[in-house]
Amino acid sequence: MKALTKLDLRQRYNLTVLIALAIAGYLLVLCFYLVTDRYAKEYTRHYWQEHAGIFAESAEYSVTLGAKAKSETIANSFAADRNVIKAAIYTKKHELLAVSGKNVGCTTSGRDFSRPNFSEADSHWCFYAPVYQDRPAGEFERQLVGSTVSPYLGYVELVISKAELTALMYQILIMSGLIVLVILVVIFAVVRRFSGNCTEPMVE
């Protein structure tokens, strides 16, 4: 408080503007980051859930025949993506038919594998998609079939790393912070340049 009393009116005015701009900049960057992070996570989850569905469709005939060699080839092809930690194919009795990648634990208790779902950890997502026999690929085709239920054969599991998304969000945070900082510095410089026009009449 004693340091503030040593400042003249113009300096106090500049300090107040600086503090206000700093708070406004922080809130702006924070809001932008939270909105972007939420959208990016929702988009990523939707994308990989669809990818798990493609994985399940690709594994249909190998699961039907119980062909482990073919299942391993399919699992390896989906695990080749740098974001995929693990790709696995299971029978309806939860027996492992094929797996590729690292063994990452996912929460499977209480999961209904007859429909798409996912679980989330700090460093990864676990996506599940059911494998049905002769199920139409598209939503429109499934509506044409009607209420006929295809035989449930098993399910697939895709474990996806969050590392790339986390790195991207960190870059967005840094870039948005730098852009807002530059804008606020310019605004403060302009305000400081003309602050005398506001404070000098008050001093007089």
Side-chain angles (χ1 to χ4, degrees), residues 17-29 176-192:
V17 171
L18 178 62
I19 294 174
L21 289 175
I23 295 174
Y26 172 78
L27 294 177
L28 182 63
V29 172
S176 60
L178 290 176
I179 292 172
V180 171
L181 179 62
V182 170
I183 294 174
L184 294 182
V185 168
V186 172
I187 294 175
F188 179 71
V190 173
V191 171
R192 186 180 181 185

Side-chain angles (χ1 to χ4, degrees), residues 75-111:
N76 289 334
S77 66
F78 278 86
D81 190 293
R82 62 183 180 182
N83 293 297
V84 177
I85 301 175
K86 174 186 175 184
I89 303 174
Y90 297 87
T91 65
K92 63 181 179 181
K93 295 181 180 180
H94 307 291
E95 296 173 351
L96 182 62
L97 192 61
V99 63
S100 180
K102 299 177 181 178
N103 187 17
V104 179
C106 296
T107 304
T108 58
S109 59
R111 294 282 172 186

Side-chain angles (χ1 to χ4, degrees), residues 7-25:
L7 301 177
D8 57 29
L9 184 59
R10 182 173 182 176
Q11 291 173 330
R12 293 182 186 181
Y13 177 83
N14 291 336
L15 180 61
T16 302
V17 171
L18 178 62
I19 294 174
L21 289 175
I23 295 174

Side-chain angles (χ1 to χ4, degrees), residues 62 65-76 89 97-98:
S62 64
L65 300 174
K68 289 191 175 183
K70 181 63 176 177
S71 298
E72 289 175 358
T73 301
I74 296 172
N76 289 334
I89 303 174
L97 192 61

Side-chain angles (χ1 to χ4, degrees), residues 15-172:
L15 180 61
T16 302
V17 171
L18 178 62
I19 294 174
L21 289 175
I23 295 174
Y26 172 78
L27 294 177
L28 182 63
V29 172
L30 179 63
C31 291
F32 176 77
Y33 175 79
L34 292 177
V35 171
T36 306
D37 182 64
R38 180 178 179 181
Y39 173 79
K41 285 183 177 179
E42 289 180 356
Y43 177 84
T44 304
R45 284 198 298 263
H46 178 74
Y47 171 82
W48 285 110
Q49 190 65 71
E50 292 292 325
H51 199 66
I54 297 173
F55 183 20
E57 292 172 8
S58 302
E60 175 188 341
Y61 293 107
S62 64
V63 175
T64 302
L65 300 174
K68 289 191 175 183
K70 181 63 176 177
S71 298
E72 289 175 358
T73 301
I74 296 172
N76 289 334
S77 66
F78 278 86
D81 190 293
R82 62 183 180 182
N83 293 297
V84 177
I85 301 175
K86 174 186 175 184
I89 303 174
Y90 297 87
T91 65
K92 63 181 179 181
K93 295 181 180 180
H94 307 291
E95 296 173 351
L96 182 62
L97 192 61
V99 63
S100 180
K102 299 177 181 178
N103 187 17
V104 179
C106 296
T107 304
T108 58
S109 59
R111 294 282 172 186
D112 180 13
F113 296 108
S114 63
R115 61 181 181 178
N117 59 70
F118 73 95
S119 62
E120 184 174 358
D122 293 335
S123 61
H124 60 271
W125 286 292
C126 300
F127 295 93
Y128 303 92
V131 179
Y132 288 98
Q133 184 176 2
D134 299 327
R135 188 180 188 186
E139 184 66 30
F140 178 72
E141 289 79 0
R142 286 195 288 269
Q143 291 177 0
L144 290 179
V145 173
S147 60
T148 304
V149 179
S150 302
Y152 173 64
L153 303 174
Y155 61 96
V156 298
E157 177 186 52
L158 271 182
V159 181
I160 308 300
S161 173
K162 290 183 177 180
E164 188 169 311
L165 178 62
T166 302
L168 176 61
M169 293 308 303
Y170 180 74
Q171 292 176 2
I172 291 176

